[in-house]
Amino acid sequence: MTSPTAQGAASAAPAWGLARSLANRTTRSLLSVALTFLGLTCVTFFIGRVIPIDPVLAIVGDKASAETYARVRAEIGLDLPIPVQYWRYLVKVVHGDFGNSVITSRPVLHDLLQVFPATLELALLALLIGVVAGVPMGVLAATHRGRWQDQVIRFLSLLGYSMPVFWLGLIGLLLFYARLGWVEGPGRLDVAFDDIVAPIIGMITIDSLLAGEYEVFWNAFWHLLLPASILGYLSLAYVARMTRSFMLAQLRQEYVLAALAKGLSPWRVVWVHALGNVWVQLVTVIALTFGSLLEGAVLTETVFAWPGLGLYMKNSLFNADLNAVLGATVLVGVVYIGLNMISDLIYPLVDPRARDQ
Amino acid sequence: MTEMTRRLLLATATAVPFAGWVRIADAAAPKDTAVFAKQIDDIITLDPGECYELSGIEMCTNIYDRLLRYEAEDLNKLVGGVAESWTVAPDGKTFTFKIRPNLKFQSGAPVTAEDVEFSLQRVVLMDKTSAFLLTQLGWSKTTVKDLVKGSGDTLTLKIAADFAPSLVLNLMTSIVASVVEKKVALANETNGDLGNGWLKTHSASSGAFKLIAWKANESVSLEAYPGFRLGAPLLKRVVVRHVPEPASQRLLLEKADADYARDLTPDQIKPLASNPDIKVESFKAANTFYMGLNLGYEPLANPKVRQAMKMLVDYDGMVKSFLAGRFFVQQSFLPLGFFGAIEYVPFKLDVAKAKGLLAEAGYKDGFAVKMAAPNVSPWTEISQSVQQTMGQAGIKVSIEPMELKAVISQYRGRGHQIAMLSWGPDYFDPHTNADTFAHNDDNSDTAKSKPLAWRNKWFIPDITKEMLAAAKELDAKKRAEQYVVLQKKVTDEGPFILMFQNTNQIARRATTTGFNPGITEDLNFYRTIRKS
Amino acid sequence: MATAPVPGTARAWLLSPAPASRRQARFGRWYRAWLGFRRNPLAMSGLAIVALLVLMAVFAPLIVDPQSATLQVLQDRLQPASWQHPFGTDELGRDIFARVVFGSRITLTIVVMVGVIVVPVGLAIGLPAGYFGGVVDTVLMRITDIFLAFPRLVLALAFAAALGPGIENAVIAIALTAWPPYARLARAETLTCRRAEFIQAAELQGASHLRIIATQIVPLCLPSVIIRLTLDMAGIILTAAGLGFLGLGAQPPAPEWGAMVSSGRQVLLDQWWVATIPGLAIFIVSLGFNLLGDGLRDASDSRS
């Protein structure tokens, strides 16, 4: 994965022009975001139009009469030239109207607000697992470079890189749900716990805590644990590797040797000073991991019947539900662009070395 | 936001009770609730005037009462729904229904003929997928207000097409004859949509259940209506949960998280037999599984080739192995259980004979052909089995697995060579299937309707005439005979390799009983379910 | 360190501390990298796995009867492992071992074809962007950013759905989503050497831009691009398997591993091997590519 920071670091301005450079940078970023956004919707729109599924069919089904079919076709504007259709769509999106989804009969925006928190809940816990376990593993690997600890950790993270996530999910369900019964199965909640907690932010674990419904919380938690652990393992692999290489770079620095020479405990030097210096880089990595978690969710959510963004995207794609596909892709694209932009912006601000280059 | 953060902090600070750490082993579905594990991602609306997806029809069957019905107590007997009695004028064109007195909507308002009039008219006026069921009676947006009239306790229907009265009455048992409360629908109307937008996700009914919530791709929750015409349903709540994977359905059932699993495959069913907590039951269903052969593709236009191909399917091998219990061989376009249906199985796997026919047709070495098939089980297995057996006679089948809707899109555009699909009847009358398998008197690309015969370019003006005659035959015995002839013709000469009819195999908790689905979704009643 | 090389051998020539030509220096660097690589057990096991995959794919018809990968024997469906069927049989009674062996051909084809498409496309976009800079750079990189902003798997799904079934289409779908990082990499590499003296010298001699890019810059970029490709192979395999799992990609009865997992999940509870074994195959092969790529990168890092 190429780091988005490479560009930002290379083109950083001298320290004295920081404010001006930031302003420039922001304008330029916004401009490029707008362009990227345009490209994103454009590509998605045209893919949507060449998919060999008739969008009218998705609405009226196979059995409607010819008149009904023609009326609906005209209603959704399919009889217009494609560029006109695209322009109309764009105008609506700019006004915050993503249209209605065919398969849920609701406004796409409404749907997204419902499915996104589900994915977010999954991705956040996965990220937490990945960071809490991955960072120490990376540090350990760096301090024991070339020794067995390093090899084991490297191997573990390569394993994570190599896992077909859908397969790991199936095996996990077989083992931990069907055979051992340690966790709950597919879905977000048992039926018995459905509709008890009204959504506040849409993440059931947090909503249930807010409402004081602890039983619901635990049920949601046990449903969440397995898919989140599996995604967490994948992100752990990446986080551990990146931490290792950042730490190696730090440990080569003179201040580390100096601190050791001054008699500071090696533990303190590594975990406080060196690690303290790489956190900015780590934030970037974590942001990227988060982005890839959103994407990895398509397969995980399929296996775990998790009603999140990934499943929503897949279902709408396969039902030629164009508004929904476009809306979801734009959302993920915007999150991606946002993450990249934030790390591009933050990076030179907080990392003096990048600024001075 | 700050308030929320504060509450969040508070909540986490007052330590979450650790009781949850020990997972309660069987948090079984509650006693007063029946839980179904079922694939319901086909639902796109629950407005009975629009809904035409299988799962949606099942929901509406339970939510709404209809003008006439086949009830759970006797699935073969036509009885009144909101209608107490009815008469048919001697010319067979005018139908008069008496609405039952003292019927109440869930809102408390009385059910009147005016509500029924509104419900039927709005189907035609909204012109959604299912509207064709009623427009075929000769009702149009301009005429329906004159032809469908209700006042007081009397509803009068006039039809402007040649149809047997029994067919018309059967249509009044279908989903389009669901009774919606006019006042509520109109109160929630936006932009003159007759309440369509609101009714997609809400109910205004007098049926056995009230719609609590439909969460797309997640669940449908129903609550019993105590004031229902036939008495309150036996359970308070029914939750139908969308579980796409059969394996997950089975797990939920085994762990008592669900009372019914609806989409198990034979391989899931078999191991359940030894579980004393679970019972498996089979009910006849009415879907026809077939392959459509496009006559536009040169070799398939040859009747001998089609004949040969019908002998190159291992019907028995499949129903005895991976389709066991879920399908049986039925090579007629009418499903058994329908009026006029015959058990007709003239073809079986016979490679030698098929080779002979192919040689006679000039395809001694076979030919290559593409087959579009949905990319999920059991289609993938069936298509691969067919691929192998056809290969034995030199027909090289290249399977193109696609999303179901992509197959249908291609099929409707006549872009396929072979399409493997299923067909489900629209209402409980043979005309529904005959009208599509044996209907094509305009073979042009711009034809007004796209019945299955048209999609496969099978031009049959004569058979179409016979089919239309059967639809308006008043004498039941004669009508049945006409359908027998039609079925044989379509199976023998038609562009369809008719393979199977399906069976509903349902696995349930041994303690939950009373769900006995009928041959179509219009007969799947939840109100009789009980738990002991 | 290794023992001192015997003078006069190829090894001595390669390890010579004072290479006589640029060619000797380059080969020497490669040789030293290989020596480093060879000492890395993880990397060597990766190489072994990949080599095994290639051998299995090439000699598949010698290992098992080609018929048995697709031959259905309905009476023998879902059999557990036995002498006759070392990995058991699937839902249509086909031998899973034979299918896994022949599936290696599909996997290898996909990986190679994606590589063959992605590298030239990435270079074709990244090199001019880095070399010419300015408007060319902005336009090309903006396009690249658009594709980077897509969720990759979803984009591949969309392309695969749009293109229809078939391995070739799966390859195109994956390639369409996999090229942007290569363009970025090629651009970055070009930028680092754009101002180098030998490039400017070539420019002064009147060499055309195309010639300079083709003869000077491409060879410089290739090693890092190839390493990147090796590291990506696993990702490509996983994406392809994911497509197969979701019902896109290979056409039945082709023994594509992802599709095999997908059909096996219906019987996972009772006949676990049907889904588990092809899943393991995907996992082992992508692990092999990861180990190999990782080792290559280490070796190239120590080289510089």
Side-chain angles (χ1 to χ4, degrees):
Chain A
M1 217 172 285
T2 20
S3 158
T5 58
Q7 256 186 314
S11 57
W16 54 266
L18 189 62
R20 209 183 60 189
S21 119
L22 184 64
N24 271 337
R25 194 184 280 281
T26 316
T27 348
R28 250 192 321 172
S29 300
L30 284 179
L31 199 70
S32 77
V33 165
L35 276 172
T36 313
F37 178 79
L38 204 67
L40 194 72
T41 51
C42 185
V43 174
T44 322
F45 193 86
F46 286 98
I47 292 177
R49 283 293 180 262
V50 295
I51 280 185
I53 299 177
D54 183 350
V56 182
L57 195 66
I59 300 171
V60 301
D62 187 20
K63 293 180 171 176
S65 67
E67 293 86 8
T68 311
Y69 181 92
R71 181 182 55 74
V72 171
R73 192 178 152 80
E75 250 172 41
I76 53 177
L78 279 178
D79 47 353
L80 300 169
I82 288 184
V84 178
Q85 292 179 34
Y86 177 56
W87 175 248
R88 281 187 160 193
Y89 177 76
L90 215 57
V91 169
K92 282 209 308 197
V93 167
V94 170
H95 288 92
D97 177 9
F98 285 87
N100 274 18
S101 156
V102 173
I103 48 177
T104 67
S105 316
R106 273 178 275 244
V108 170
L109 210 56
H110 178 280
D111 281 347
L112 290 178
L113 288 176
Q114 200 176 333
V115 295
F116 192 54
T119 299
L120 211 56
E121 190 175 31
L122 195 59
L124 284 177
L125 184 59
L127 200 61
L128 190 72
I129 295 171
V131 171
V132 167
V135 170
M137 278 169 70
V139 174
L140 196 72
T143 53
H144 294 75
R145 186 183 187 184
R147 278 187 277 162
W148 66 267
Q149 293 93 331
D150 187 20
Q151 297 289 350
V152 167
I153 289 169
R154 166 189 284 213
F155 187 67
L156 278 179
S157 63
L158 283 178
L159 279 189
Y161 272 137
S162 315
M163 270 312 166
V165 59
F166 54 90
W167 177 74
L168 193 60
L170 285 174
I171 302 294
L173 273 178
L174 175 68
L175 211 61
F176 297 111
Y177 172 58
R179 294 265 192 274
L180 298 170
W182 290 358
V183 295
E184 292 289 354
R188 293 179 81 184
L189 277 179
D190 283 0
V191 172
F193 296 104
D194 258 351
D195 301 322
I196 294 180
V197 175
I200 302 169
I201 59 169
M203 295 191 223
I204 295 182
T205 42
I206 293 180
D207 287 345
S208 57
L209 284 184
L210 292 178
E213 293 280 356
Y214 300 120
E215 270 190 60
V216 178
F217 169 80
W218 285 114
N219 188 261
F221 176 76
W222 289 115
H223 274 277
L224 183 60
L225 191 60
L226 185 60
S229 304
I230 284 170
L231 282 177
Y233 181 42
L234 302 194
S235 57
L236 173 155
Y238 186 55
V239 171
R241 264 173 86 112
M242 295 313 281
T243 310
R244 176 181 179 272
S245 70
F246 294 153
M247 283 300 286
L248 281 179
Q250 283 298 316
L251 295 178
R252 273 197 291 261
Q253 303 272 323
E254 276 171 25
Y255 77 89
V256 172
L257 297 176
L260 285 174
K262 267 201 304 193
L264 283 177
S265 80
W267 192 88
R268 199 178 151 77
V269 172
V270 168
W271 291 94
V272 179
H273 293 114
L275 189 58
N277 274 332
V278 301
W279 75 267
V280 182
Q281 288 165 296
L282 274 182
V283 166
T284 315
V285 166
I286 290 168
L288 279 176
T289 316
F290 185 70
S292 64
L293 278 176
L294 290 184
E295 176 191 5
V298 177
L299 288 166
T300 322
E301 289 179 2
T302 304
V303 172
F304 286 93
W306 193 264
L309 189 62
L311 201 56
Y312 183 73
M313 260 195 278
K314 193 199 97 185
N315 284 339
S316 24
L317 184 69
F318 288 162
N319 284 290
D321 189 352
L322 292 187
N323 284 339
V325 177
L326 281 161
T329 314
V330 166
L331 175 63
V332 177
V334 166
V335 171
Y336 263 49
I337 298 171
L339 288 173
N340 274 333
M341 198 170 87
I342 289 168
S343 53
D344 269 5
L345 283 176
I346 292 181
Y347 193 66
L349 274 186
V350 276
D351 190 346
R353 279 161 304 147
R355 205 165 55 216
D356 296 341
Q357 255 169 21
Chain B
M1 199 60 194
T2 45
E3 166 65 7
M4 205 176 73
T5 355
R6 202 180 58 79
R7 277 169 62 196
L8 176 65
L9 284 174
L10 215 72
T12 29
T14 53
V16 180
F18 273 72
W21 274 112
V22 189
R23 280 194 337 104
I24 307 157
D26 50 343
K31 271 267 182 229
D32 58 354
T33 306
V35 178
F36 284 91
K38 184 180 184 327
Q39 293 166 0
I40 54 166
D41 51 351
D42 57 332
I43 301 179
I44 60 175
T45 172
L46 289 177
D47 179 343
E50 177 184 29
C51 171
Y52 213 59
E53 292 67 43
L54 295 181
S55 305
I57 294 177
E58 179 169 316
M59 300 308 143
C60 288
T61 297
N62 289 289
I63 297 170
Y64 290 93
D65 204 357
R66 298 179 183 172
L67 187 54
L68 302 178
R69 289 211 91 136
Y70 291 93
E71 288 287 5
E73 288 70 16
D74 183 352
L75 292 176
N76 294 310
K77 192 174 162 213
L78 181 71
V79 295
V82 300
E84 187 170 45
S85 61
W86 59 93
T87 53
V88 185
D91 66 348
K93 301 281 188 206
T94 304
F95 297 74
T96 313
F97 298 85
K98 266 255 163 326
I99 305 300
R100 293 178 198 271
N102 307 325
L103 277 189
K104 292 237 173 356
F105 282 109
Q106 288 163 4
S107 67
V111 179
T112 66
E114 214 180 314
D115 291 302
V116 186
E117 172 203 81
F118 170 76
S119 304
L120 288 171
Q121 285 180 357
R122 83 188 272 278
V123 173
V124 177
L125 294 174
M126 292 197 307
D127 188 20
K128 303 289 186 185
T129 310
S130 54
F132 77 96
L133 290 173
L134 296 182
T135 53
Q136 65 181 351
L137 297 174
W139 299 351
S140 71
K141 283 183 194 180
T142 44
T143 60
V144 70
K145 295 213 158 149
D146 301 320
L147 298 176
V148 177
K149 284 210 177 273
S151 70
D153 64 351
T154 310
L155 177 81
T156 318
L157 308 180
K158 291 201 175 78
I159 64 164
D162 281 340
F163 270 159
S166 60
L167 201 168
V168 177
L169 292 175
N170 275 334
L171 276 173
M172 291 307 138
T173 68
S174 72
I175 184 163
V176 284
S178 299
V179 181
V180 175
E181 186 175 355
K182 181 177 181 182
K183 211 176 110 206
V184 177
L186 289 180
N188 293 290
E189 185 173 36
T190 44
N191 305 326
D193 69 351
L194 298 173
N196 175 237
W198 186 79
L199 281 169
K200 279 173 195 260
T201 52
H202 299 80
S203 62
S205 84
S206 59
F209 289 89
K210 181 183 165 82
L211 174 65
I212 300 298
W214 162 44
K215 283 184 260 174
N217 293 332
E218 276 187 65
S219 64
V220 173
S221 312
L222 306 177
E223 189 182 77
Y225 169 47
F228 179 58
R229 169 168 61 84
L230 295 169
L234 300 176
L235 293 181
K236 276 218 181 71
R237 238 160 71 99
V238 173
V239 177
V240 185
R241 188 157 191 195
H242 175 54
V243 184
E245 294 279 327
S248 306
Q249 291 192 4
R250 174 177 154 202
L251 280 174
L252 287 170
L253 184 71
E254 284 180 326
K255 293 188 180 294
D257 287 336
D259 297 298
Y260 286 97
R262 299 281 300 274
D263 307 289
L264 298 187
T265 62
D267 290 317
Q268 318 276 0
I269 297 269
K270 215 187 299 166
L272 288 178
S274 56
N275 186 336
D277 295 330
I278 288 166
K279 291 272 177 294
V280 177
E281 291 166 306
S282 293
F283 302 90
K284 203 170 280 168
N287 293 304
T288 302
F289 288 71
Y290 71 99
M291 285 177 265
L293 312 175
N294 191 341
L295 270 51
Y297 179 58
E298 168 72 33
L300 304 181
N302 188 319
K304 285 204 171 120
V305 170
R306 294 204 298 273
Q307 188 89 0
M309 290 173 82
K310 289 170 191 176
M311 296 176 188
L312 288 171
V313 176
D314 191 3
Y315 307 94
D316 285 326
M318 285 191 264
V319 295
K320 281 188 185 134
S321 56
F322 59 90
L323 298 180
R326 196 178 176 192
F327 292 94
F328 57 92
V329 182
Q330 163 67 334
Q331 296 170 352
S332 142
F333 70 76
L334 283 183
L336 293 181
F338 263 61
F339 175 79
I342 49 166
E343 208 175 331
Y344 188 53
V345 186
F347 299 109
K348 60 181 191 341
L349 181 65
D350 190 339
V351 179
K353 205 165 164 195
K355 271 184 172 166
L357 280 166
L358 283 174
E360 280 176 41
Y363 291 98
K364 197 166 70 64
D365 302 318
F367 53 91
V369 63
K370 287 190 268 192
M371 175 159 76
N375 58 1
V376 288
S377 181
W379 302 108
T380 41
E381 290 90 356
I382 300 177
S383 60
Q384 291 182 71
S385 171
V386 169
Q387 183 183 44
Q388 170 157 313
T389 46
M390 295 223 171
Q392 288 167 4
I395 302 176
K396 287 166 283 297
V397 179
S398 150
I399 301 172
E400 307 203 314
M402 302 179 210
E403 283 304 311
L404 175 63
K405 284 190 176 134
V407 181
I408 298 175
S409 300
Q410 199 187 67
Y411 193 37
R412 286 173 63 98
R414 310 209 270 195
H416 65 293
Q417 291 178 353
I418 302 180
M420 182 179 275
L421 280 164
S422 72
W423 175 267
D426 297 307
Y427 44 90
F428 197 44
D429 188 280
H431 181 64
T432 176
N433 277 17
D435 194 30
T436 194
F437 282 100
H439 184 176
N440 184 17
D441 47 4
D442 174 3
N443 203 26
S444 68
D445 280 341
T446 51
K448 206 165 146 296
S449 62
K450 297 182 174 177
L452 301 184
W454 175 88
R455 293 181 195 183
N456 291 297
K457 299 198 179 169
W458 190 41
F459 185 50
I460 39 164
D462 295 338
I463 296 181
T464 306
K465 271 190 207 116
E466 290 170 38
M467 184 274 299
L468 291 173
K472 58 186 168 195
E473 177 57 56
L474 298 174
D475 184 293
K477 194 159 160 269
K478 267 197 210 153
R479 191 167 182 233
E481 278 162 13
Q482 286 169 337
Y483 281 115
V484 170
V485 174
L486 278 170
Q487 287 173 78
K488 289 188 173 164
K489 272 190 188 161
V490 170
T491 303
D492 296 345
E493 303 161 23
F496 309 105
I497 304 181
L498 296 154
M499 299 185 288
F500 312 116
Q501 180 179 347
N502 62 337
T503 307
N504 252 326
Q505 264 189 319
I506 292 178
R508 59 170 170 87
R509 298 295 301 175
T511 48
T512 310
T513 53
F515 179 65
N516 305 309
I519 195 162
T520 67
E521 279 66 22
D522 299 300
L523 307 171
N524 295 356
F525 298 99
Y526 297 164
R527 63 182 167 81
T528 47
I529 301 173
R530 66 167 79 236
K531 274 179 142 177
S532 58
Chain C
M1 268 314 275
T3 49
V6 183
T9 58
R11 186 174 148 81
W13 182 80
L14 284 167
L15 289 178
S16 160
S21 66
R22 253 176 68 188
R23 199 166 125 251
Q24 187 183 356
R26 191 182 290 168
F27 279 115
R29 270 204 316 274
W30 284 111
Y31 185 64
R32 266 187 286 270
W34 162 244
L35 288 181
F37 182 86
R38 221 175 50 180
R39 275 197 305 276
N40 182 344
L42 287 181
M44 285 306 283
S45 52
L47 184 65
I49 292 174
V50 173
L52 221 81
L53 172 77
V54 174
L55 289 178
M56 188 157 95
V58 171
F59 296 109
L62 300 180
I63 303 172
V64 287
D65 176 13
Q67 294 276 308
S68 59
T70 51
L71 182 74
Q72 305 162 19
V73 186
L74 291 180
Q75 305 86 282
D76 287 350
R77 55 195 302 272
L78 301 172
Q79 297 290 315
S82 64
W83 281 112
Q84 201 194 345
H85 303 293
F87 291 165
T89 61
D90 71 0
E91 71 285 353
L92 287 171
R94 294 173 295 204
D95 181 46
I96 295 180
F97 178 69
R99 288 178 72 71
V100 168
V101 169
F102 272 88
S104 65
R105 293 189 152 188
I106 298 177
T107 303
L108 207 63
T109 312
I110 291 177
V111 164
V112 169
M113 282 169 68
V114 170
V116 166
I117 299 177
V118 157
V119 171
V121 171
L123 290 181
I125 294 196
L127 292 180
Y131 185 83
F132 294 110
V135 182
V136 179
D137 186 23
T138 312
V139 171
L140 290 178
M141 280 304 109
R142 197 51 55 223
I143 296 175
T144 312
D145 281 351
I146 290 170
F147 277 84
L148 271 176
F150 266 106
R152 252 175 83 170
L153 185 63
V154 174
L155 187 62
L157 265 182
F159 278 130
L163 292 167
I167 292 180
E168 307 79 21
N169 290 337
V171 166
I172 296 172
I174 296 171
L176 278 171
T177 59
W179 63 267
Y182 293 87
R184 279 199 155 192
L185 184 65
R187 173 178 176 272
E189 293 272 322
T190 313
L191 281 178
T192 58
C193 66
R194 175 70 184 90
R195 302 276 155 240
E197 281 164 17
F198 64 92
I199 305 270
Q200 293 184 342
E203 273 179 344
L204 283 179
Q205 282 168 16
S208 69
H209 293 313
L210 193 67
R211 195 180 154 77
I212 292 175
I213 291 179
T215 59
Q216 307 285 344
I217 299 182
V218 168
L220 279 172
C221 291
L222 265 185
S224 51
V225 168
I226 303 248
I227 289 171
R228 164 88 213 203
L229 185 65
T230 326
L231 280 168
D232 258 10
M233 290 290 181
I236 293 168
I237 291 170
L238 292 179
T239 311
L243 288 183
F245 181 75
L246 294 174
L248 302 165
Q251 285 172 269
E256 199 273 321
W257 292 342
M260 288 169 70
V261 175
S262 174
S263 64
R265 73 185 144 157
Q266 300 302 338
V267 293
L268 187 68
L269 292 173
D270 306 291
Q271 288 89 19
W272 54 268
W273 58 88
V274 183
T276 307
I277 286 174
L280 265 179
I282 300 169
F283 166 58
I284 291 172
V285 168
S286 67
L287 181 64
F289 275 107
N290 268 329
L291 291 171
L292 177 66
D294 200 53
L296 279 181
R297 190 175 50 186
D298 264 16
S300 79
D301 280 353
S302 58
R303 169 173 63 101
S304 52

